[in-house]
Amino acid sequence: MVMRKLVVVAVVSFSAGLVVASFAGFREFIPGLLEGALVTIQITLAGAVVAVVCATVAGLAKMYAPWPLRWLAIAYIELFRGTSALVQLFWLFFVLPLFGITLQPMTVAIAALGLNIGAYGAEVVRGAVAAVPRGQWEATVALNMSRTQALRRIILPQAFVAMIPPWGNLFIELLKSTALVSLITISDLAFRAQQMNQTTFRTLEIFTIVLVIYLAIASIITVGMKALEQKAAGALARGRSH
Amino acid sequence: MLWDWSYAFEILPILAQASLVTVQATLLGFVLALILGLVFALLRMARAPWIALPVSAFVEFIRSTPLLIQIFFLYFVFPEFGVSLDAFTAGVIALGLHYGTYCAEVYRAGLDNVPRGQWEASTALNLSPFHTFRDIIIPQAIPPVVPALGNYFVALFKETPLLSAIAVLELMQQAKILGSTTFRYIEPITLVGLFFLVFSLVAAALIRMVERRLNRIGAR
């Protein structure tokens, strides 16, 4: 399955590369688009950090926190999963200034996308923690561990391995949703593409190159998460055999 | 007073009108996604690698690139090949194509779960491949995956504001226009957010209901 997927990725990348290389004068677009890609990558990375933090806090709060916090976590998850990412982005961008909170567009982008993906991630965290066998909890009680100790040393390390594949999907979702930030004036890859399109009208070349760049970043995420998964699974197996 | 109720009530009918476009785009897009998804899923199962591999590659490509760019691509690039699509059509096709690739994975899970014996039995009964699919495999493969398809229905619905980027006059675009004419963004955008929240929660409840009903039919 994994091999098949890698073959597919290789085929796609190769043919996409051929298509791009066949464009006459495609070089002139590359520097500007790569600058845009850098912004896209920055937002993806920062958004991923926000998302992981929000997801862990909200996911654990939904399971273990006292009721006011639990309700807060549920409200956050439902609110951000129930509305569009674009609406959230616009809300933070246009409405927050009316409350006297003016944020940089970049901050808005990272916060909105991070919170959005974090809400989906919270369910991933909850699912992974819930999937740790009950016996593990019972064993921590038998060993007289506190709940925090049990979570930190026994439960979360096992849940972590199960979380990696769904997080990989979410990071790709995050990468794809960064294209939205072009609509709040951030000059990311999508924004650059539109700008160049309006000045040069070389639509086919520009948008194809942009799609290929997104694909390349997504492939890096896929490969990276796969490597992380193998490493984490290996580490867990070693820990168990001791 | 930050929130102006009279303004909110004033714009409500305008937004309600625009929400019809949103709902239309959602329904048309999802029908397209369901059909394309099944086509992709079946083609990926093909034994000939020269069919299965390019389709897999295409599906992976669509899944790992942003919908916004795909919308732009359809809207701006296709006219170069002489195919001019109006904004709404381009948007619906992009939505349907993007979510079709997600639905393809769902269908595949459903198709994989049909026991092998069912295929063998169809061969034994001398059914043509078409009849095998239509009468034996599909009726067993689809019901278990309906909840997963439902999730993508809600997800697709939440992506429709992207159509505002190519100036389709749907909910988000209408809210932006209202905001830019009156300089009051708080009411329109909040109302749009509320609309999506309510619709998503209702849709999620409906999907749960359908799921329960299907489970009951399955148990019988």
Side-chain angles (χ1 to χ4, degrees), chain A residues 7-169:
Chain A
V7 168
V8 167
V9 169
V11 169
V12 178
S13 325
F14 182 71
S15 42
L18 271 188
V19 171
V20 170
S22 69
F23 293 147
F26 76 100
R27 273 164 220 276
E28 55 189 283
F29 301 123
I30 294 289
L33 290 179
L34 283 185
E35 266 172 55
L38 211 59
V39 176
T40 294
I41 292 172
Q42 275 171 4
I43 296 174
T44 308
L45 286 178
V49 173
V50 175
V52 169
V53 172
C54 289
T56 312
V57 172
L60 292 180
K62 190 175 171 182
M63 296 182 86
Y64 302 117
W67 68 266
L69 280 178
R70 188 182 324 150
W71 281 84
L72 198 68
I74 292 173
Y76 157 68
I77 294 170
E78 291 300 321
L79 192 66
F80 276 86
R81 292 204 324 164
T83 56
S84 297
L86 187 61
V87 178
Q88 290 155 20
L89 201 62
F90 274 34
W91 206 88
L92 289 182
F93 189 66
F94 286 113
V95 177
L96 273 192
L98 302 177
F99 292 106
I101 308 167
T102 312
L103 300 170
Q104 294 283 319
M106 196 73 174
T107 318
V108 170
I110 292 167
L113 298 181
L115 284 168
N116 180 267
I117 297 294
Y120 288 92
E123 291 295 305
V124 169
V125 171
R126 198 184 59 79
V129 171
V132 174
R134 267 199 66 77
Q136 298 288 326
W137 277 110
E138 285 157 10
T140 63
V141 175
L143 290 171
N144 204 18
M145 284 183 168
S146 73
R147 213 174 195 193
T148 330
Q149 266 180 328
L151 258 183
R152 193 168 55 88
R153 296 174 59 175
I154 307 297
I155 306 301
L156 284 183
Q158 297 182 60
F160 180 71
V161 179
M163 276 182 223
I164 296 173
W167 269 114
N169 289 340

Side-chain angles (χ1 to χ4, degrees), chain A residues 4 8 12 81-84 86 90-91 98-99 120 173 176 179-180 194 203-204 207-208 211 214-215 218, chain B residues 2 56-57 63-66 68 72-73 76-77 80 98 102 158 161-162 172 176 186 189-190 193 196 200:
Chain A
R4 195 188 144 112
V8 167
V12 178
R81 292 204 324 164
T83 56
S84 297
L86 187 61
F90 274 34
W91 206 88
L98 302 177
F99 292 106
Y120 288 92
E173 289 294 319
K176 292 196 292 177
L180 303 184
Q194 273 217 295
T203 317
L204 174 65
F207 281 112
T208 309
L211 284 175
Y214 275 113
L215 179 70
Chain B
L2 260 172
S56 299
R63 280 167 66 94
S64 31
T65 52
L68 183 66
F72 284 151
F73 196 91
F76 293 124
V77 175
E80 285 191 15
H98 195 83
Y102 283 93
K158 286 186 296 177
L162 289 188
M172 192 72 222
K176 273 198 283 183
I186 180 166
I189 295 186
T190 309
F196 276 100
S200 303

Side-chain angles (χ1 to χ4, degrees), chain B residues 93-195:
Chain B
I93 294 177
L95 281 172
L97 191 62
H98 195 83
Y99 278 90
T101 60
Y102 283 93
C103 290
E105 289 294 299
V106 175
Y107 283 127
R108 197 176 59 163
L111 291 168
D112 282 349
N113 274 336
V114 176
R116 268 212 67 74
Q118 298 287 325
W119 292 92
E120 286 156 7
S122 322
T123 313
L125 291 170
N126 203 17
L127 292 176
S128 69
F130 175 74
H131 276 109
T132 307
F133 265 110
R134 201 194 61 183
D135 297 333
I136 311 293
I137 305 301
I138 301 282
Q140 296 183 70
I142 304 299
V145 297
V146 166
L149 290 175
N151 288 342
Y152 283 123
F153 177 70
V154 179
L156 184 147
F157 169 70
K158 286 186 296 177
E159 299 271 30
T160 53
L162 289 188
L163 301 192
S164 67
I166 51 170
V168 175
L169 197 63
E170 47 67 73
L171 206 47
M172 192 72 222
Q173 180 72 0
Q174 187 62 263
K176 273 198 283 183
I177 291 172
L178 287 169
S180 62
T181 46
T182 59
F183 295 106
R184 291 199 62 93
Y185 280 99
I186 180 166
E187 290 90 356
I189 295 186
T190 309
L191 284 175
V192 170
L194 273 180
F195 172 82

